[in-house]
Amino acid sequence: MTEKSVTSPPKRALGRGLDALLPVAQPPARGYGDKSVFLCALEKLTPQKGQPRRVFEKEALEELAASIKEHGLLEPLVVRRVDASDQFEIIAGERRWRASQKAGLHEVLVVVKDVSPAAAFELALIENVQREDLNAIELAEALARLVQEHGYTQESLAERLGKDRTTIANSLRLMKLPTRVRDQVIDGTLSEGHARALLGIVDAPAMERLSEKVIRGRLSVRATEALVRKEKSSGGSGAAAAGANGKKAAADAAPAKSSAVRDLEARLTRKLGTKVEVRDQGNKGEIVVPYADLDALDRILDKLMGT
């Protein structure tokens, strides 16, 4: 090996975002004497707490494991030392670490970075964003953490990640989705486009109801947008929808009452002297007897108890 081949710097595989934050140090002329790059036992590595990426597709992980088993791990993991011990926290490469375990490896090449936990989280986010490994909700949650916990603005995040500020703002808007709808995006039941369309609804219960309708009907994003416009035009997207409009929507959604139920309502209304509603749901339900004041309540109770 010539001196030139020894001293040539390795390719920077993690992208300009990581390099801009923490420039890669040049290795010494002979091997890795400072131990900043070395083979590390897998059991000494642990995933980063609060890692932006939470979902690892099983099929993709198996494919990567098969590739590593045949060709070896071609790219080192980026790690940080934990409290001056011989344990390391993974900054970038948890997926490769998981696949290496499946491939039967006992050790992998790591690059050690001396960074704080906050900087480690930022690096993990940037690495995942550059690889486009995060789903829409994971990215939104990670960006929200950087804003809330690390003092970033939308402008500074856009500059750091090399994205337009509008893109950052649209991603952060996904945090307004109720948990149930977020989970549907994470598991792939709803697309990011569907989620953005549903954000046109302000009321969380209405948003959840429409998301179920979208899933059941396998609606396209355009059809979902039309559904949201219809909901808004009917007044079902605001707080008023929970009131009078909500009652109308519930009545519209309810199945038509049978003749037997209507007849029972009529007999009870005549008997009690007030409008009675029977809500039958498959041989079970409830009878609603409204009253205007305490005197009316006393009259109804007298008739019910035969006094």
Side-chain angles (χ1 to χ4, degrees), residues 10-271:
K11 284 187 175 180
R12 296 182 179 182
L14 296 179
R16 66 178 180 82
L18 285 176
D19 290 345
L21 287 173
L22 291 172
V24 178
Q26 300 299 324
R30 297 183 61 185
Y32 303 108
D34 63 354
K35 296 297 182 184
S36 63
V37 182
F38 65 98
L39 285 171
C40 180
L42 288 177
E43 60 267 21
K44 292 186 178 183
L45 301 173
T46 57
Q48 179 184 160
K49 294 179 181 178
Q51 217 271 64
R53 185 178 186 186
R54 293 178 292 150
V55 179
F56 297 87
E57 295 182 6
K58 184 177 179 181
E59 184 177 343
L61 204 60
E62 293 290 351
E63 290 177 357
L64 179 58
S67 175
I68 290 174
K69 193 169 185 178
E70 182 176 355
H71 304 291
L73 185 64
L74 303 181
E75 184 178 347
L77 279 60
V78 180
V79 302
R80 61 181 289 269
R81 192 180 297 275
V82 179
D83 299 327
S85 67
D86 64 346
Q87 297 294 311
F88 299 89
E89 183 181 71
I90 300 171
I91 296 175
E94 181 178 343
R95 179 169 171 268
R96 279 166 280 151
W97 173 71
R98 291 173 180 266
S100 295
Q101 290 176 311
K102 288 182 174 291
L105 271 61
H106 299 291
E107 56 184 14
V108 292
L109 192 65
V110 300
V111 178
V112 182
K113 295 293 184 183
D114 182 18
V115 295
S116 67
F121 174 77
E122 183 179 6
L123 288 170
L125 172 60
I126 292 174
E127 195 262 352
N128 279 287
V129 169
Q130 288 176 338
R131 293 171 178 270
E132 298 184 351
D133 280 349
L134 299 179
N135 64 51
I137 300 302
E138 287 174 333
L139 177 58
E141 290 175 346
L143 293 175
R145 279 189 60 188
L146 286 172
V147 170
Q148 296 164 8
E149 300 176 18
H150 302 282
Y152 277 88
T153 63
Q154 292 184 13
E155 290 76 11
S156 59
L157 275 177
E159 182 179 356
R160 176 67 75 187
L161 299 174
K163 293 182 177 291
D164 187 86
R165 193 199 66 80
T166 303
T167 302
I168 300 296
N170 286 337
S171 183
L172 287 170
R173 285 186 68 230
L174 296 178
M175 295 299 294
K176 296 180 180 179
L177 294 169
T179 301
R180 184 175 168 186
V181 178
R182 287 192 215 173
D183 290 342
Q184 291 167 339
V185 177
I186 290 174
D187 64 25
T189 310
L190 283 179
S191 72
E192 182 179 354
H194 288 107
R196 293 194 190 285
L198 290 171
L199 284 170
I201 300 295
V202 177
D203 186 54
M207 201 181 299
E208 292 178 346
R209 173 170 53 81
L210 290 187
S211 75
E212 293 296 336
K213 184 177 291 189
V214 169
I215 293 170
R216 288 196 305 269
R218 298 182 179 181
L219 302 184
S220 66
V221 173
R222 181 161 298 191
T224 302
E225 292 171 346
L227 185 66
V228 168
R229 287 194 296 271
K230 182 179 179 181
E231 179 78 7
K232 291 172 70 175
S233 66
S234 67
S237 61
N245 288 335
K247 292 179 181 178
K248 181 179 182 302
D252 292 342
K257 293 180 180 179
S258 66
S259 58
V261 170
R262 293 197 302 273
D263 179 68
L264 178 59
E265 285 180 335
R267 287 189 286 124
L268 287 171
T269 296
R270 289 193 299 270
K271 174 69 175 178

